[in-house]
Amino acid sequence: MIHSFYPPQRTLMGPGPSDVSPRVLAAMARPTIGHLDPEFVRMMDEVKQLLQYAFKTRNALTLPVSAPGSAGMEACFVNLVEPGDKVIVCENGVFGGRMRENVERFGGEVISVVDEWGQPVDLEKVRAAFEAHPDVRLLAFIHAETSTGVRSDAASLAAIAREFGALTIMDAVTSLGGIEVDVDGWGIDAVYSGTQKCLSCPPGISPVSFSDRAVQKVQQRRASVPSWFLDKKLVMGYWGEGARRTYHHTAPVNALYALHEALLILQEEGLETAWARHRHHHEALKAGLEAMGLALFVAGPWRLPQLNTVVIPEGVDEARVRSRLLTRHSLEIGAGLGVLQGKVWRIGLMGHACNAHNVLHCLNSLETALIAEGVDLPRGAAAIAASAALAEA
Ligand SMILES: *Cc1c(COP(=O)(O)O)cnc(C)c1O
């Protein structure tokens, strides 16, 4: 006998999805209406405005792609890369590697700038790559590398690309809503994000924005875009200025109610306040982790507050710890990816999940789990240190 599915109550402190606010869940449960219904179209105009606010952009082509972050990534590359185009791809973790694969599949020529996992993209290496290949058309990089917990200097990377007349593609899946993202201020040409990280929405939608320069590049393509679904020229019939809102595909109506609500919550809080909240709770988590003798993997200036990579102590069975957190404390944290598998845990403090209760719950649960693993640590020190940090304004 199969029954209705009732998921367990979890606290989601991994690399995404993050906890979803009850307001967003309630929005998602509202009645489905037609995706060309004037009321739905009106709501979608608001989604566009709210996305422009979140990305800090006036780009007319700002829209939610009806598929997860990986599709947003693909939408940028499939539209902007033509066979033979030279693209500098910065690789300092898992997601940079995926960018490289995208360029290769669409016939571009990849010039890789590789940095060690745990380090930000090296600006001097990027400059050297442009100097060695002056005909590069595009620079692609990850703003917040979720596999390592590293932020790269997006403003400087975009400035270098401009200097050499190239467009930029930026992955803001984990950064949007958690740290500063300033698409227009930095001069980013194509950016994509995801709903399930710091926007605290269920997964499955990818906000994307293209600058006028990027739109021009799409319009001047020699060959048509090799993906029908992700072809921005076709999507513009629905989203562009004065568009007729004709049928392209059936929008995921209820998922977009959720995005509308999540973006509204972000706007009500204010971008700067949201970024400060992430920093503040990260400081408390860090104080607690260090008080129990754990070390963060990433150096201070490049740490992402919303994604904390923690070095796994010697002799600890990392999978057993995560499994214990999940089964006994209903708490999810992330494992290491790629070369960091078995070396780090990834503790997310994203969006709705970034709060004082979760910081303390995580530290206390981790302390219990580590003691069970035989780690000798000062009991209670983490909660004391974190509480002190939380009390600081
Ligand atoms: C999660 C993530 C993605 C992929 O998003 P999905 O929604 O899982 O497809 C891409 N880039 C980064 C940096 C991410 O953290």
Side-chain angles (χ1 to χ4, degrees):
M1 236 328 236
I2 297 179
H3 300 280
S4 298
F5 178 65
Y6 291 96
Q9 285 277 342
R10 302 282 195 220
T11 300
L12 300 180
M13 298 181 72
S18 59
D19 287 343
V20 177
S21 145
R23 258 180 76 179
V24 172
L25 291 176
M28 203 158 181
R30 288 176 196 145
T32 304
I33 59 174
H35 70 119
L36 298 175
D37 186 311
E39 280 304 303
F40 185 73
V41 169
R42 189 182 62 74
M43 188 209 73
M44 290 300 269
D45 283 332
E46 291 181 355
V47 168
K48 176 173 163 178
Q49 278 176 44
L50 290 164
L51 281 177
Q52 287 171 326
Y53 169 77
F55 276 130
K56 297 189 77 175
T57 184
R58 299 168 68 125
N59 289 341
L61 192 64
T62 301
L63 61 109
V65 169
S66 305
S70 305
M73 178 187 283
E74 196 151 328
C76 292
F77 287 96
V78 78
N79 281 281
L80 293 174
V81 175
E82 287 198 79
D85 281 358
K86 284 192 184 174
V87 183
I88 296 178
V89 177
C90 305
E91 255 186 87
N92 60 340
V94 166
F95 292 102
R98 290 195 182 173
M99 283 182 150
R100 174 173 41 73
E101 287 182 45
N102 267 270
V103 175
E104 287 166 356
R105 286 183 187 230
F106 303 133
E109 188 186 323
V110 176
I111 294 146
S112 286
V113 169
V114 178
D115 282 292
E116 216 176 296
W117 289 37
Q119 296 294 324
V121 174
D122 185 328
L123 301 177
E124 289 317 310
K125 284 189 198 167
V126 172
R127 177 174 290 284
F130 270 113
E131 278 163 358
H133 305 274
D135 51 345
V136 161
R137 298 297 183 87
L138 267 172
L139 169 70
F141 65 91
I142 311 287
H143 185 207
E145 207 4 297
T146 322
S147 60
T148 62
V150 165
R151 175 180 67 82
S152 284
D153 181 352
S156 300
L157 286 166
I160 295 171
R162 282 252 146 159
E163 201 183 310
F164 289 90
L167 301 182
T168 46
I169 296 179
M170 178 171 88
D171 176 312
V173 175
T174 285
S175 53
L176 191 69
I179 54 174
E180 181 180 24
V181 171
D182 187 356
V183 169
D184 286 0
W186 299 343
I188 305 291
D189 293 294
V191 60
Y192 60 92
S193 189
T195 46
Q196 77 277 27
K197 314 248 169 149
C198 296
L199 297 181
S200 277
C201 222
I205 304 266
S206 178
V208 168
S209 185
F210 276 38
S211 72
D212 291 345
R213 296 202 314 161
V215 170
Q216 217 171 37
K217 161 100 176 147
V218 178
Q219 276 161 345
Q220 289 167 353
R221 283 182 67 99
R222 298 180 295 275
S224 62
V225 174
S227 161
W228 181 88
F229 187 67
L230 297 173
D231 185 341
K232 283 283 165 276
K233 267 196 228 169
L234 296 180
V235 174
M236 277 181 239
Y238 185 85
W239 281 101
E241 291 301 323
R244 300 174 315 284
R245 305 284 181 173
T246 50
Y247 171 67
H248 175 264
H249 67 278
T250 310
V253 171
N254 292 58
L256 289 164
Y257 298 164
L259 180 60
H260 181 275
E261 193 70 15
L263 291 168
L264 188 60
I265 291 172
L266 178 62
Q267 192 187 55
E268 284 168 7
E269 180 176 21
L271 288 177
E272 283 78 8
T273 315
W275 303 335
R277 174 168 54 82
H278 283 86
R279 252 196 325 277
H280 179 63
H281 291 91
H282 155 78
E283 289 299 334
L285 181 73
K286 167 179 166 286
L289 291 168
E290 287 174 349
M292 74 169 103
L294 297 174
L296 293 183
F297 176 66
V298 176
W302 306 111
R303 268 178 211 145
L304 290 172
Q306 65 271 50
L307 198 283
N308 298 270
T309 35
V310 181
V311 180
I312 296 164
E314 213 50 47
V316 167
D317 181 334
E318 78 84 18
R320 193 160 58 202
V321 168
R322 279 186 297 111
S323 152
R324 190 187 174 97
L325 293 177
L326 192 67
T327 52
R328 304 216 184 168
H329 304 273
S330 220
L331 171 68
E332 179 177 284
I333 66 168
L337 273 188
V339 298
L340 294 179
Q341 199 185 349
K343 299 204 166 71
V344 299
W345 286 303
R346 293 183 298 155
I347 303 181
L349 279 174
M350 296 182 177
H352 186 66
C354 178
N355 61 59
H357 171 84
N358 281 0
V359 167
L360 294 172
H361 176 48
C362 178
L363 290 169
N364 289 331
S365 308
L366 192 56
E367 179 178 306
T368 311
L370 288 176
I371 289 168
E373 285 288 313
V375 176
D376 184 24
L377 54 80
R379 289 170 197 241
I384 292 169
S387 301
L390 286 168
E392 283 172 30

